[in-house]
Amino acid sequence: MEEPVKDLNQLNVLLNNNPCVPNSNLLVNFKFINSRIKKCCNIIFIFSLHLCLFVMVVGAEVSKTTVVVNVGGEISLPCPESDQFNSSELSWSHPGKLNMTGSFVVKETGALVLMKTIPSDAGMYYCKAMDQTVAQVKLEVNNVPSRINRVLVSTNSVYSIVSWSEPKAGGYPILGYKCQYRMDTSHLLSPSTTSKEYSEKRLAADSRTCDIYNLVPNTTYFIQVAAYNKLGPGEFNSQMTTTKPLDELHKTLSSVQTSESGRVLAMSIAVSVIALATLGSGIALLLIRHRGQSPPVRPLQESPGEDESLELVPHITLNPSFNIDMLEHIAPDFNENSEHAFLVGSPTGRER
């Protein structure tokens, strides 16, 4: 029975002399094998640790928060999962903004602090741990109303009408509009301070026009309009306009008067025609109604002749006691045929 091999050199010799070994140059070194095993164990441990942390980060639910700040203010964006990581492993990102100057991360809480916020700071912020998002914070920055994009100015000789469209509110409701105007002083050699000051009109929130009167004809003016809310006025939209000369005003007024006189004449004729038609209709209606209520016309009777108009009464001489005054009370009888008659209408009562 062979003795066990105790020397590494002797083991190498036996392996090299053994025909069953495919590689005759194989060198077995147990120390080298032990060191490689240790390195492999360390790599496996570190990989397992990172894999465990990755599973924890991916499996955790991303928290979402919304914070609001006024423009120019200071705000802190929280990272709720910061207590599970070291501060060196946390970072913040804001898409579209590479340079985050004016901000810093609080080491104890991992919160991001923004100093003197501006409108471009608004948006979504991401708190990351080992390149994995653990929190989302939406930042809203309240601001003054935006600049009015469209302003139209219609100017005449002594007045001007300004109109505009509604701008964006900026986070707070629009409280009203400021309409300012002043005369151009660029042609003056030494303009005074008061000549450069704007006259202002404040209008309600639902206003879309501004009427400016008592302007000087043939003069250049600067006109500007802006909306305002609780944070103040927005950027003014300034326009320059020139009033028309007086002769154009006279032409305008004369044309207006001509058109107005033509309208008045046409209206007067129309009213007269309507009045005449109404009067004629009323008269015709009254005639028709009166004719319907009048009694029927009786046929005309032939007037008796001169001889037949005499009433015959008994001769007075036959009755001397007859009272001639009673003839006035006697009704004439046209059917009576008497041979003796006298004229009733005769003042003397003589016979015929």
Side-chain angles (χ1 to χ4, degrees), residues 121-344:
D121 290 334
M124 190 68 70
Y125 289 79
Y126 299 90
C127 179
K128 296 183 178 182
M130 301 175 62
D131 296 332
Q132 297 297 324
T133 302
V134 295
Q136 296 181 5
V137 181
K138 182 180 179 181
L139 177 62
E140 296 180 357
V141 180
N142 290 331
N143 198 5
V144 296
S146 64
R147 183 177 182 268
I148 299 176
N149 293 326
R150 185 179 181 184
V151 175
L152 300 177
V153 181
S154 177
T155 305
N156 209 297
S157 297
V158 293
Y159 68 90
S160 182
I161 299 176
V162 187
S163 60
W164 61 85
S165 57
E166 183 180 6
K168 295 182 180 179
Y172 292 108
I174 294 177
L175 301 179
Y177 294 90
K178 292 184 177 182
C179 179
Q180 300 179 350
Y181 62 97
R182 71 173 179 87
M183 193 180 298
D184 180 22
T185 58
S186 60
H187 61 285
L188 301 178
L189 296 178
S190 56
S192 61
T193 305
T194 56
S195 63
K196 294 183 178 180
E197 295 179 354
Y198 281 90
S199 300
E200 182 178 280
K201 293 181 66 177
R202 292 209 174 193
L203 305 170
D206 57 349
S207 299
R208 297 294 180 272
T209 58
C210 175
D211 302 332
I212 304 174
Y213 296 98
N214 300 324
L215 302 181
V216 180
N218 198 21
T219 305
T220 302
Y221 285 86
F222 291 105
I223 300 175
Q224 58 184 16
V225 182
Y228 65 92
N229 58 12
K230 64 180 297 183
L231 297 180
E235 181 182 356
F236 280 92
N237 187 327
S238 182
Q239 301 289 328
M240 185 174 64
T241 184
T242 302
T243 55
K244 298 179 181 180
L246 280 178
D247 54 351
E248 295 190 11
L249 176 61
H250 294 159
K251 293 179 182 179
T252 304
L253 292 177
S254 62
S255 62
V256 170
Q257 290 176 357
T258 303
S259 61
E260 289 295 331
S261 61
R263 292 179 184 176
V264 171
L265 179 60
M267 291 180 64
S268 300
I269 294 174
V271 170
S272 301
V273 171
I274 294 173
L276 290 175
T278 305
L279 180 60
S281 301
I283 293 174
L285 182 61
L286 289 175
L287 290 176
I288 294 173
R289 184 176 297 178
H290 178 71
R291 187 169 184 177
Q293 294 178 355
S294 62
V297 179
R298 293 181 295 178
L300 295 176
Q301 297 179 355
E302 294 183 357
S303 60
E306 185 179 355
D307 296 336
E308 296 177 355
S309 63
L310 298 177
E311 288 187 356
L312 297 178
V313 295
H315 201 278
I316 300 176
T317 58
L318 297 179
N319 189 4
S321 63
F322 181 78
N323 188 2
I324 194 171
D325 295 331
M326 294 297 295
L327 291 176
E328 296 178 0
H329 303 285
I330 298 175
D333 187 2
F334 296 102
N335 296 324
E336 181 181 359
N337 296 324
S338 177
E339 296 180 355
H340 303 281
F342 68 94
L343 282 176
V344 176

